[in-house]
Amino acid sequence: MKDRTGSVLRLTQPLRLWVQRFTFLLLLAAAVGLMLLGKADTVIVERMRAAAGDALAPVLDALSRPTAAVNDLIDAGRNVYGLALENRTLREENARLLQWQAEAHRLEAENAALRALVGFAPEAAASEVTARVIGASGGAYVRSVLAAAGARHGVRKGQAAVAGTGLAGRVNEVGDRSARVLLITDLNSRIPVVVGSSRDQAILVGDNSDRPRLDYLRPNARVAPGDRVATSGLGGIFPPGIPVGTVVAVDGGFRVQPPIDWDRLEFLRLMDFGLGGPVRAHDAAGDPGGRP
Amino acid sequence: MSVAGSGPLHRLDTAARASVPSLTALALIVVGVVPLRLPEYAAVVPWFALMAVYYWTMYRAELMPAPAVFAIGVFQDLLGGGPFGVNAFVLLLAHGAAMTQRRVLMRRPFSLAWLGFIAIALMAFALTWLAMAALAFTLFDPRAALVQYVLTVLLYPPVAWAFAAAHRAWVR
């Protein structure tokens, strides 16, 4: 195996050791440099990430398909237990939901009538792309996923990612055919929300747990466990009214239980509400025609 | 296995064999990112890259030089979505630590090499936790990292066995 040492340099043992140590230290310094570069939040890191995601998207997509089959099997195994229990719960829930449905129809009609009364301009219709989740962030420190749709499918940074009936996250980095979604549970996630019928405003703060925290509530806010939480639309990233979850009380504070099974995120709807980011939304808020 | 020829085909063959260690690391990183719908799996995926770096540093150090370790770390940083550079930094230090121990552990029974891995992985996980905390200004709940550590350590023997198979089949 020593057939390569005959090339240009035949270093003496101590010199080679020295070069090795020097390389090692140089690379260590480079790694620290990368950390600082990432911390400075430059576009370069984001571009490199997007490029890596793009390059691996086909591989990950192919790999995530057979695992979907395996996952179905795991689910089937799990479901055999507690089927009877689940059945009973579902029946009860169904009965309750039918009542809610009737109530929703009534409210919808009332809402339409009231909107007609005040001449309310409806929200811009959302266009959306449904993307398969092809990569999870491996590790204990980040909550983000890689989705198999990118700029070529119309995905743009800042779009809302919705799973099932609730907000799952926000598009954070966009490649040509892949996009990274920062989940609302991630440490860096901050979402302006309104809580319950009192419409108290708060910020939904992720802390890497499955249930993000409600922060910056007014001291006398009327918030109770079970209240619905939805985006407030402040900041102009998301439109108001995307459901986020329900309030639960934990350790004297409030957290939000999203209606999402984080372990089984399979598809995300990446929604474009045509808001175009914070700046445009701010301008729109100043538009006298937009408000009564 | 050292063939006397030096034609382009031979050089290609040598290069392909020499790249097996790095390729196993990269492949395992990709596999680690694939979403499995197991409870909490994404938070506690074993650190496959660390196993690869340790194994190949221990048994074929010339095929796992520091630049390769650096590249593997950057690759994992790019794919993982976490703070940039942390994996590159910690994997390099783990590689350095393994280099100092390899003369002692290489010719000993596997259980001793495993003990070496347990110690180096503990340092690597602790360092990652510290680096993440420093970069995010947050003390993370160490439980997820702890589970990840235990899984990584427990999975090392079977993964090392697979590396050894690849080692015998393709590298030599």
Side-chain angles (χ1 to χ4, degrees), chain A residues 7 27 88 159 203 217 222 231 233 240 251 256 261 272:
Chain A
S7 55
L27 288 168
R88 207 181 62 209
Q159 285 180 354
I203 304 285
L217 272 166
R222 284 166 296 149
T231 56
D251 299 335
V256 173
D261 187 348
D272 183 5

Side-chain angles (χ1 to χ4, degrees), chain A residues 38 153 273 280 289:
Chain A
H153 308 101
F273 293 94
R280 245 187 68 193

Side-chain angles (χ1 to χ4, degrees), chain A residues 170 190-194 199-203 216 230-242 275 277-279 281-282 285 291:
Chain A
R170 175 170 61 86
R190 303 280 182 278
I191 315 267
V193 292
V194 288
R199 315 275 304 159
D200 276 311
Q201 293 189 343
I203 304 285
Y216 304 109
T231 56
S232 71
L234 280 180
I237 303 277
F238 295 150
I242 305 179
L275 288 177
V279 180
H282 178 73
R291 276 163 190 243

Side-chain angles (χ1 to χ4, degrees), chain B residues 52-150:
Chain B
V53 166
Y54 180 82
Y55 177 90
W56 294 109
T57 304
M58 199 51 74
Y59 300 107
R60 289 311 288 272
E62 78 277 16
L63 298 184
M64 184 57 76
V69 176
F70 181 76
I72 289 166
V74 169
F75 182 74
Q76 196 180 5
D77 280 324
L78 283 176
L79 212 58
F84 202 53
V86 175
N87 279 302
F89 183 73
V90 177
L91 284 179
L92 267 176
L93 285 179
H95 166 74
M99 280 299 267
T100 63
Q101 301 304 311
R102 67 185 292 265
R103 298 213 182 282
V104 188
L105 292 176
M106 198 167 56
R107 312 218 175 277
R108 299 295 169 83
F110 176 77
S111 51
L112 272 181
W114 190 23
L115 274 181
F117 181 73
I118 289 172
I120 285 177
L122 181 64
M123 286 191 283
F125 273 91
L127 207 61
T128 305
W129 190 86
L130 283 175
M132 291 290 182
L135 285 171
F137 296 110
T138 317
L139 291 177
F140 287 94
D141 186 346
R143 278 175 299 181
L146 205 66
V147 175
Q148 203 177 11
Y149 168 66
V150 172

Side-chain angles (χ1 to χ4, degrees), chain A residues 134-148:
Chain A
I134 54 170
S137 60
Y141 307 99
V142 193
R143 296 286 180 278
S144 69
V145 295
L146 204 61

